[in-house]
Amino acid sequence: MSLPNDFLWGFATAAYQIEGGADQDGRGPSIWDTFCAIPGKIADGSSGAVACDSYNRWKDDIQLLKDVGAEAYRFSISWSRVIPLGGREDPVNEKGLAFYQTFVDALLDAGITPFVTLFHWDLPDGLEKRYGGLRDRNEFPLDFEHYARIMFAALPKVKHWITFNEPWCSSILGYNLGIFAPGRTSNRAKSAEGDSTREPWQVGHNILLAHGRAVQLYRTEFKPASGGGEIGITLNGDAAYPWDPEDPADLEACNRRMEFAISWFADPIYFGHYPASMRKQLGDRLPVFTEEERVLVQGSNDFYGMNHYTANYVRHRTTKPPDDDFMGNLDTFFEDKNGNSIGEETQSVWLRPCPRGFRDLIVLISQRYGNPKIYVTENGTSIKGENDLGVDDMVNDNFRVRYYDGYVRALADAVRENGADVRGYLAWSLMDNFEWAEGYETRFGVTYVDYKNSQKRIPKKSAFSLKPLFESLIKKE
Ligand code: PNW
């Protein structure tokens, strides 16, 4: 037994990936609705317009959570369902708000602890059109704070708030590579607008400011009466190992890789400034915190939200980094110098299982940031070729069962052997869903969703594998 008695485990999803109901009850469009409508952006030409239809089938989702024994559920709010145009002067959609109130009450009635993400990438399109959305250093944080206030007030029983999901993805995939909404990039074959060398760093900065404002608001006006409520941000990051274990420059590059992905956001939150390696490479393209901004952002995590999926080998470069580099002047591989593979292939080109990387990264984060309370807010895998299987084979997802087994045990080792303070684990995902630019071809669910048959849900083997696993690891008292 290695996990504390009050350790919470369960599953995670996100609004645009599961809800559907895109035009129902007054919801406004988000940047993902707009992005999906551009031909060629989504692998199968799909969108989240229907997805798992959870807006109408949310009772099925709660039943599913109960059936598999989940103690917690992480979901996100669709901002444009609550404020269709998004801004602080714009009308609130009471029907949208009521949906989440009903849902949270039903979760609590079922004995399931809600973890609520305010922003999982689906910015109201109205704000993109009005002032460039995440690119506006003044307007965006103010509108986000207002939206957060509406949600904190509407859902007083929620005790676990996540401001932003994976700002790295919003910034880099949305404004450098242009493969996620709003699809901006310097690559003119992909987008008529965008500047990969500057916009991602500005967007990242503005997200930190918006996070800081929401946390300040929660702490002053809502936390005192919440009975133990807490708030934090969720960051994604991969484990990194040297491509050449003998080369100190590759070891240094591993550290840079982590700094450019995780410390970009975590250093300002825990230390009040960006990592030196980023300042050195990016110069004045990386914004500078004003004193007022620093005070807002520093110390703004009650917990560290950790999303983690995979590991890479990292090789340093000897050439000058191009201005659109976002990795820290290095290359990443799945094989090291000696041809050792980091893990088996999955359906996702960026993901190969490597459980020891999970333990190592939990330890690194714990050491760098003073042993913060950690919730793992996502971890999971796709399976190569899964979508081509018949249902009977698909629900027999032994590869995913093994993935969870390896990763959860690695987490337990980090707690028991290294003293990491991990308090919860949310598997990605409760069910197959809209996998962003991959559309529906890549499945991450522990539940099969039949998109051709009224989004019928059938739990896979992995759905039932977590309960016995956690029961064997969580202390009874
Ligand atoms: C996360 N990458 O996204 C998201 O939070 C989820 O919404 C998503 O469904 C899940 O992981 C699985 O992809 C990521 O390219 C998307 O490295 C892409 C990457 C990482 C995380």
Side-chain angles (χ1 to χ4, degrees), residues 381-397:
T381 193
S382 59
I383 304 177
K384 193 159 185 63
E386 186 179 20
N387 195 42
D388 306 324
L389 300 173
V391 191
D392 293 346
D393 289 323
M394 213 183 293
V395 296
N396 215 357
D397 60 340

Side-chain angles (χ1 to χ4, degrees), residues 14 17 74 120-121 165-166 168-169 173 179-180 236 238 307 309-310 348 350-351 378 428 433-436 444:
Q17 296 181 271
R74 172 181 179 230
H120 201 122
W121 307 348
N165 179 69
E166 302 189 349
W168 183 93
C169 287
L173 306 182
I179 54 177
F180 276 17
N236 58 300
D238 308 333
N307 284 2
Y309 289 89
T310 191
S348 311
W350 53 273
L351 200 176
E378 282 180 32
W428 186 271
N433 56 48
F434 178 70
E435 179 53 14
W436 307 111
F444 269 86

Side-chain angles (χ1 to χ4, degrees), residues 205-325:
H205 192 79
N206 301 343
I207 290 177
L208 281 169
L209 302 181
H211 158 82
R213 290 201 85 98
V215 172
Q216 186 184 54
L217 169 69
Y218 185 70
R219 286 179 178 169
T220 48
E221 294 187 33
F222 297 92
K223 187 170 166 148
S226 69
E230 49 184 8
I231 187 163
I233 198 167
T234 277
L235 306 177
N236 58 300
D238 308 333
Y241 296 103
W243 178 78
D244 178 353
E246 314 278 289
D247 189 344
D250 282 357
L251 252 179
E252 262 175 56
C254 286
N255 191 48
R256 269 201 318 280
R257 162 94 174 127
M258 185 178 101
E259 293 188 328
F260 271 72
I262 293 173
S263 310
W264 174 10
F265 302 100
D267 277 16
I269 290 173
Y270 288 93
F271 306 145
H273 55 76
Y274 288 116
S277 61
M278 293 184 73
R279 179 64 64 199
K280 187 173 170 217
Q281 180 175 321
L282 303 170
D284 67 359
R285 288 185 285 118
L286 186 67
V288 176
F289 287 95
T290 65
E291 182 56 11
E292 197 187 338
E293 290 176 342
R294 180 192 66 75
V295 169
L296 185 67
V297 172
Q298 190 173 1
S300 59
N301 253 2
D302 293 338
F303 60 83
Y304 182 105
M306 178 177 182
N307 284 2
H308 180 74
Y309 289 89
T310 191
N312 286 291
Y313 291 114
V314 171
R315 189 171 71 196
H316 74 285
R317 286 187 188 169
T318 50
T319 50
K320 190 176 168 294
D323 279 353
D324 63 354
D325 177 64

Side-chain angles (χ1 to χ4, degrees), residues 16-20 36 42-53 387 432-444 449 451 455:
Y16 192 70
Q17 296 181 271
I18 68 161
E19 281 183 3
C36 291
I42 310 299
D44 55 6
S46 66
S47 76
V50 180
C52 306
D53 197 24
N387 195 42
D432 296 334
N433 56 48
F434 178 70
E435 179 53 14
W436 307 111
E438 297 288 304
Y440 296 95
E441 287 169 358
T442 302
R443 294 175 181 265
F444 269 86
V449 176
Y451 300 112
Q455 332 306 103

